[in-house]
């Protein structure tokens, strides 16, 4: 059996998680509609990251008996194989995380670094755990992925800082003149 991201079971579960989270943020934490728009965009991004990094999941008879070594799913030595294209794609994958997370929470370098590491490690460990679960390592827990994903998150946060500072300069620090879509992020300064 091959499980794709677009199976109705997966899509419904992603949608139910979204609705529950949306409801909690809107009705218990009293978030405004602009915040909820940022949240929705960020959630769609996270769902696509899950799609790209975790799916499809192959679970077929004979895979466990045929299986490959757990060690085939680990690459713990940095830069053991130079793949510039893969490095570039890993950076591009996580730039929106560093940029988008700053729209949702008041951030500092320390918070963004911790959140980025947690996010990246969840992705990598999930790939490894799925491989162990089905008995065949399709994806690799790669230290290079962790390093370059982290670089991407930091680039995203630098872009956010640049964006925020540009808005401050354009509107001369007068938050009342900011477009309503950006007033939320200006609360962080």
């Amino acid at each position: 059996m091959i499980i794709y991201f677009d199976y109705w079971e997966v899509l419904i579960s992603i949608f139910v998680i979204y609705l529950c989270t949306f409801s909690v943020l809107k009705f218990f934490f009293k978030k405004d509609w602009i915040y909820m728009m940022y949240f929705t965009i960020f959630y769609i991004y996270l769902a696509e990251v899950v799609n790209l990094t975790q799916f499809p999941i192959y679970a077929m008879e004979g895979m466990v008996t045929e299986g490959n070594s757990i060690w085939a799913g680990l690459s713990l030595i940095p830069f053991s194989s130079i793949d510039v294209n893969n490095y570039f794609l890993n950076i591009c994958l996580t730039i929106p995380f560093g940029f988008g997370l700053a729209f949702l929470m008041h951030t500092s370098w320390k918070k963004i670094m911790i959140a980025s590491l947690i996010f990246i490690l969840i992705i990598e460990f999930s790939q490894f755990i799925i491989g162990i679960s089905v008995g065949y390592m399709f994806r690799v827990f790669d230290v290079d992925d962790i390093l370059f994903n982290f670089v991407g998150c930091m680039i995203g946060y630098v872009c956010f800082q640049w964006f925020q500072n540009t808005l401050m300069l354009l509107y001369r620090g007068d938050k009342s003149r900011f477009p309503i879509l950006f007033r939320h992020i200006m609360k962080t300064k």
Side-chain angles (χ1 to χ4, degrees), residues 23-125:
S23 299
V24 167
L25 289 172
K26 183 67 184 152
F27 300 112
F28 290 113
F29 291 103
K30 308 288 186 211
K31 298 295 183 179
D32 63 11
W33 287 106
I34 293 172
Y35 179 91
M36 298 312 295
M37 179 190 69
Y38 292 145
F39 169 76
T40 301
I41 293 167
F42 195 69
Y43 191 86
I44 291 168
Y45 159 73
L46 290 177
E48 188 56 29
V49 168
V50 169
N51 180 27
L52 291 171
T53 60
Q54 309 301 320
F55 289 91
I57 299 172
Y58 298 92
M60 297 177 219
E61 276 187 49
M63 285 176 45
V64 175
T65 56
E66 175 188 312
N68 55 5
S69 168
I70 290 176
W71 299 110
L74 292 173
S75 175
L76 301 176
I77 301 170
F79 310 110
S80 61
S81 64
I82 305 298
D83 185 355
V84 175
N85 186 47
N86 192 37
Y87 297 161
F88 177 74
L89 292 175
N90 277 313
I91 290 171
C92 289
L93 178 72
T94 53
I95 287 174
F97 185 84
F99 190 84
L101 190 62
F103 273 84
L104 296 177
M105 59 184 266
H106 301 293
T107 56
S108 64
W109 280 102
K110 183 178 179 182
K111 286 181 185 178
I112 210 79
M113 289 171 74
I114 292 169
S116 297
L117 280 174
I118 291 170
F119 171 66
I120 294 162
L121 289 174
I122 287 172
I123 290 170
E124 291 298 317
F125 277 116

Side-chain angles (χ1 to χ4, degrees), residues 121-161:
L121 289 174
I122 287 172
I123 290 170
E124 291 298 317
F125 277 116
S126 296
Q127 291 173 345
F128 187 70
I129 290 168
I130 289 170
I132 290 173
S133 301
V134 298
Y136 199 88
M137 303 304 288
F138 289 101
R139 304 193 191 279
V140 177
F141 181 95
D142 193 354
V143 172
D144 293 347
D145 290 352
I146 294 170
L147 293 172
F148 286 99
N149 285 339
F150 186 75
V151 168
C153 289
M154 295 302 101
I155 289 172
Y157 188 62
V158 167
C159 290
F160 173 81
Q161 293 277 312

